[in-house]
Amino acid sequence: RKEVEQDPGPFNVPEGATVAFNCTYSNSASQSFFWYRQDCRKEPKLLMSVYSSGNEDGRFTAQLNRASQYISLLIRDSKLSDSATYLCVVHREGYSTLTFGKGTMLLVSP
Amino acid sequence: ETGVTQSPTHLIKTRGQQVTLRCSSQSGHNTVSWYQQALGQGPQFIFQYYREEENGRGNFPPRFSGLQFPNYSSELNVNALELDDSALYLCASSLGSATDTQYFGPGTRLTVL
């Protein structure tokens, strides 16, 4: 089983739609959680950290359920510019590596 | 921009050749991590250098090696290139070896023919 698993994509949605991405992680020692965004042929960029209490940044809401080892990202009112691959990332305290999921591609159409 | 730079941006090599990729970390950062991202996959951790020493390694063979210099810039060397080494190679710099805050460079796209 992969350490971080995400919904297979791509997700094709119209502008204005709400879309949710799901992610599960297998290592209960994971301490920090993130969503990264990666545009085609570019480097990953941090979108937002994910906290147990849930957190929101504009149209983006992230949730973490430690008991279920589950992370989610909700995007409301999708824009064309949201088209990208969204990567779920976990980090174990004291370790040097970030562990990435495979990513889920989002395509927002007019 | 993160202030992390990588060179070259693109590279084409043939099987069996050797390649060196370079990364300059963000000012003040003492740690560089290298990742390989194959097409359609997430980045996979290769290794990390902290204060010029290797500090953690992923599941990559010994033909993947690296260096970190006193100015904290870093090199990734790959010997005996294989077709499956074709990927985007990302470096990320950070302050400290076990931090979750890593800043990625734009990557080097390596194609092995």
Side-chain angles (χ1 to χ4, degrees), chain B residues 45-98:
Chain B
F45 177 69
I46 303 174
F47 44 55
Q48 183 187 81
Y49 278 84
Y50 170 63
R51 292 186 176 179
E52 303 179 59
E53 297 285 334
E54 186 178 294
N55 178 59
R57 188 179 182 94
N59 189 27
F60 280 81
R63 59 189 185 83
F64 285 78
S65 63
L67 281 174
Q68 188 178 35
F69 300 99
N71 66 355
Y72 302 129
S73 65
S74 178
E75 284 183 357
L76 164 65
N77 299 292
V78 187
N79 293 322
L81 283 166
E82 300 177 0
L83 296 179
D84 284 350
D85 295 333
S86 296
L88 179 67
Y89 289 84
L90 297 158
C91 81
S93 85
S94 56
L95 181 60
S97 60

Side-chain angles (χ1 to χ4, degrees), chain A residues 32 38 41 43 96-98, chain B residues 35 37 45 48 100 105 109:
Chain A
S32 307
Q38 187 171 27
R41 304 179 78 83
E43 74 273 25
S96 47
T97 179
L98 298 177
Chain B
Y35 294 82
Q37 186 174 23
F45 177 69
Q48 183 187 81
D100 57 15
R109 188 162 298 278

Side-chain angles (χ1 to χ4, degrees), chain A residues 11 13 19 21 75 78 82-86 104-108:
Chain A
F11 283 21
V13 303
V19 60
F21 299 121
I75 305 175
S78 299
D82 294 333
S83 296
T85 294
Y86 290 83
T104 304
M105 184 183 291
L106 172 65
L107 300 168
V108 182

Side-chain angles (χ1 to χ4, degrees), chain A residues 72-88:
Chain A
S72 66
L73 175 68
L74 186 76
I75 305 175
R76 291 180 301 277
D77 189 23
S78 299
K79 311 289 184 194
L80 296 176
S81 58
D82 294 333
S83 296
T85 294
Y86 290 83
L87 296 157
C88 177

